[in-house]
Amino acid sequence: MSDRYVFILGAGLMQKPAFEAAKKSGFKIICADANPKAVCVSYADKFFTVDLKDKEGLLSLAREYRDVLCAVFTAGTDFSSSVAYVSENTGLPGHSYEASKNASNKALMRSCFEKEGVPSPGFTKIRRSSIAEFISDGSAGLLSFPKVVKPCDNMGARGCRLVRGRSELLPSLEDAVRYSKSSSAILEDYMEGPEFSIDALIYDGTFTVTGFADRHIFFPPYFIETGHTMPSFSVDEKTKLSLIKAFARGAKSLGLTCGAAKADIKLTSSGPMLGEIAARLSGGYMSGWTYPYASGLDLTKEALLIAAGQKPESLLSSRVPLSVEDAGYEMYEVPCNAYSCERSWISIPGTVKKIYGLDKALASPFVKNVFPRAQEGDEVSFPRNNVQKCGNVISRAETLEDASSSAENAVSNIVLRLLTGSFETDIFLSGKELETEKSFPPSCFEAEKFSEELRAFEEKNPVLKKDLPLAEFLASSLPDDFLLLKDYNYRSVKKTALLFDEISPVHPELSSRKILSYLIRGGLQGLLYLSDTVAEKGKIY
């Protein structure tokens, strides 16, 4: 099969498992990406710089190699409709182009769900050109809140946010259409409840669940996934099957028949409610990392074989039937026999001066991968979408406790030290917020209930003397409950102080009031920024 090729759309990290799967299956690789410096470019046998939105350009390229081309494939990109367009027009297996369009445009998707009675939130489609009219003609005045605004065609939570009142509506819509390829957005009812990601492979009339994970979403009004846990530990079997049934019915309503499907779904007080379904494998390290670690199945390889018109033998031999009726497909699952967790680390705004702890994180027991995204010299910000996170850790263990604690401990060891003199960092540490982003970004530590203890500490210990250990200084008078508080990078106050002493054993004299203010607002990054700033200014800051 050495003269047979697969056409992979995208050459980024999320496509790495597809490159590996293609090579393991004996294929050569044709790859297209708009970025000629993407990480997997050098692994392609033939690479072409093509914008993945350019369906005709991709099709023209595929036709050049039609005699040796046997599959078109992507994972973790926005471009499943481009895959379907090329495969349909070259006679290769895959979802139809119409079905993939249904799964790529949230307005079309919701219409399909609505037509077939699939549970999903009520919605309104709004184009860029009609925002002003929608706001001014009284329609907006009839809305009840909260609502959710999303671009019609994007991923990674870019342009998605919770709208908590009328004052947030206009900027939210303007932001959403800015992220939309079609300059349109949907305004939908907010779904209250836990959220899950589910992957599946659709093959020969069957629907096989290949991953069911808890998603960990934080930081309203945005929807930032700080990690996921595979398999889910938060629902019983009956509830899980009801969520899977809703996913399968939704996939059927979109017309998905051959290939991968991925759902974001919530469990509300009214039952399962679909957020969206994509006609591809999931990104976010789920299909290519956490599910294979937890199940032992090379999901990407099996999906690629289906795209190549071959029998997915490992999938078929390892799946078990599911007791789900009236889902539109014959239902199966490949279950997990271990746990795998993905956890991300994030930063306050600024410019990265130095990164610590990556080697320590990778050396942590049960940790399989550490994927830094932010590098020294990069500008970083508190994430408003999932593309702005600074990196990810992935673990695998036989128990949930080992998998989750190892990933979170690894993240807690990674520290981004920021350059001083940053307007963005100063604004963040001052606690200022936009009128349309109340309570965002959040403080690093939620310490409101300790206000009296903190005030007493400041009065008793007005300064931290030059080069004295911070950990001893804080532990001398502050309660254990405060020292055990954890931030969004899984660092306790105690560990934060110990890491400060390790990273910055030589430091200037610091005001305890500033120490507590910068600690609570910005965690370890805030403390290092404070110390570095004082050292440069030569006085208590």
Side-chain angles (χ1 to χ4, degrees), residues 345 352 354-365 367 369-372 374 376 392-393 406-417 489 491 495 499 502-503 524 528:
W345 67 91
V352 180
K354 190 171 179 60
I355 300 176
Y356 305 87
L358 292 174
D359 290 344
K360 187 186 294 186
L362 187 57
S364 300
V367 167
N369 306 95
V370 175
F371 294 116
E376 292 179 6
N392 307 79
V393 166
S406 64
E408 291 168 9
N409 183 64
V411 167
S412 74
N413 285 317
I414 299 169
V415 182
L416 275 62
R417 192 174 196 167
N489 285 318
R491 272 193 291 271
K495 183 166 186 174
L499 283 172
E502 179 182 325
I503 292 169
L524 180 52
L528 291 169

Side-chain angles (χ1 to χ4, degrees), residues 332-372:
Y332 295 89
E333 180 183 24
V334 179
C336 294
N337 52 25
Y339 287 91
S340 184
C341 295
E342 176 267 320
R343 299 290 186 265
S344 62
W345 67 91
I346 60 180
S347 176
I348 69 175
T351 301
V352 180
K353 176 183 179 181
K354 190 171 179 60
I355 300 176
Y356 305 87
L358 292 174
D359 290 344
K360 187 186 294 186
L362 187 57
S364 300
F366 306 112
V367 167
K368 303 289 287 185
N369 306 95
V370 175
F371 294 116

